[in-house]
Amino acid sequence: MTLKVIAFDADDTLFINETYFDETEKKFCGLMEDYLSHQGISQELFKVEIDNLKLYGYGIKGYILSMIEAAMTISNNAIPIEIIEKIIQYGKELLEKPIELLDGVEETLATLHGKYKLIVATKGDLLDQRRKLHNSGLGHYFHHIEVMSDKQEIDYSDLIQRLEIQPSEFFMIGNSLKSDVLPVLAIGGHAAHIPFHTTWAHEKIDHTIEHENFSTFEKITDVLKKLP
């Protein structure tokens, strides 16, 4: 590989994220369990989340609104205001979660810094993602931070064009095969998957990937073994 830019996803690649969402969803299910089973509540919340992506995009604020809408639907609009207040509280707690770096992240960034142009390419709410990166203490390693509304082929193509490089000079590293790997491979870039122990259902795919530009690592420090 002749690489110039290495891009890292943020959530569940650099620091913990989905674990906190899972914890919040369990609290939400407990809050609504008088109306429906926990499984039914989770299914309804997921449906509302997916329906709202085109309006709210990815991130905690959209998740809060989706929890409120799901609660209204599940309760047939009979939800007490105290429940709404509790949902908002859960959302604020989610926004204020501490940043917990994953093992090996800072070691990997410190080793690669200066050898390649390092960037963050992540989805979500702009304010929230910038806050998390600032609080992580990792910002000084990155040349550029790109908070994307989505991660489709066109989004990566636009990013690569702004970076003034060729797709073959771009290497994306993340925990989502759907968002961090497939679209990058499709435009001629390189991509690596580092699985996280929990993945949002929307980010899962039902097939394996075989591609000469694709790698799978058990942990982020394994990246250092592949790069010169």
Side-chain angles (χ1 to χ4, degrees), residues 130-149:
R130 288 190 176 275
R131 176 192 60 81
K132 287 195 289 187
L133 283 163
H134 173 75
N135 292 344
S136 73
L138 300 175
H140 63 285
Y141 290 115
F142 296 109
H143 174 271
H144 176 75
I145 295 172
E146 184 83 5
V147 181
M148 308 161 81
S149 58

Side-chain angles (χ1 to χ4, degrees), residues 1-188:
M1 293 187 291
T2 304
L3 298 176
K4 292 184 178 179
V5 174
I6 301 178
F8 293 86
D9 178 48
D11 295 331
D12 299 323
T13 299
L14 301 179
F15 38 72
I16 289 174
N17 178 67
E18 189 61 27
T19 302
Y20 295 146
F21 275 87
D22 287 349
E23 292 172 355
T24 302
E25 182 173 323
K26 288 177 182 176
K27 291 194 292 185
F28 175 71
C29 288
L31 197 62
M32 299 296 299
E33 62 186 1
D34 288 345
Y35 297 94
L36 200 61
S37 69
H38 282 215
Q39 181 179 4
I41 294 165
S42 290
Q43 290 173 344
E44 181 60 34
L45 176 58
F46 180 71
K47 177 181 179 298
V48 173
E49 281 185 89
I50 299 305
D51 288 345
N52 284 338
L53 280 178
K54 60 183 179 295
L55 296 174
Y56 304 147
Y58 296 86
I60 294 174
K61 295 170 189 174
Y63 184 65
I64 296 170
L65 291 171
S66 292
M67 282 194 291
I68 293 172
E69 182 178 339
M72 293 172 65
T73 301
I74 292 167
S75 68
N76 195 26
N77 294 326
I79 197 74
I81 190 64
E82 292 79 13
I83 299 295
I84 302 297
E85 291 173 344
K86 201 70 175 177
I87 291 170
I88 293 171
Q89 177 189 327
Y90 291 163
K92 288 182 177 180
E93 290 171 356
L94 193 53
L95 284 164
E96 294 171 349
K97 287 290 186 181
I99 303 303
E100 185 176 346
L101 298 183
L102 293 170
D103 291 343
V105 165
E106 188 143 22
E107 174 191 345
T108 301
L109 296 178
T111 303
L112 296 175
H113 185 62
K115 297 180 181 179
Y116 304 91
K117 183 179 290 185
L118 305 183
I119 73 168
V120 172
T122 190
K123 290 191 297 191
D125 176 80
L126 179 61
L127 179 63
D128 184 41
Q129 292 290 31
R130 288 190 176 275
R131 176 192 60 81
K132 287 195 289 187
L133 283 163
H134 173 75
N135 292 344
S136 73
L138 300 175
H140 63 285
Y141 290 115
F142 296 109
H143 174 271
H144 176 75
I145 295 172
E146 184 83 5
V147 181
M148 308 161 81
S149 58
D150 206 349
K151 284 183 170 179
Q152 304 292 334
E153 292 176 29
I154 184 64
D155 303 295
Y156 282 108
S157 293
D158 289 346
L159 172 60
I160 287 169
Q161 186 174 7
R162 287 196 300 276
L163 293 168
E164 298 182 332
I165 60 171
Q166 298 299 313
S168 60
E169 298 170 322
F170 181 80
F171 186 29
M172 180 69 201
I173 299 169
N175 68 296
S176 171
L177 291 168
K178 180 179 179 181
S179 293
D180 300 320
V181 172
L182 290 177
V184 175
L185 297 178
I187 63 172

Side-chain angles (χ1 to χ4, degrees), residues 188-228:
H190 299 265
H193 181 231
I194 305 175
F196 190 62
H197 63 80
T198 181
T199 302
W200 187 31
H202 182 61
E203 295 293 339
K204 295 180 180 179
I205 63 172
D206 58 3
H207 61 277
T208 58
I209 299 174
E210 294 184 7
H211 195 288
E212 61 182 359
N213 291 355
F214 174 60
S215 304
T216 298
F217 302 128
E218 290 186 5
K219 54 188 183 298
I220 197 167
T221 51
D222 290 344
V223 172
L224 302 176
K225 301 173 185 178
K226 184 175 180 66
L227 299 175

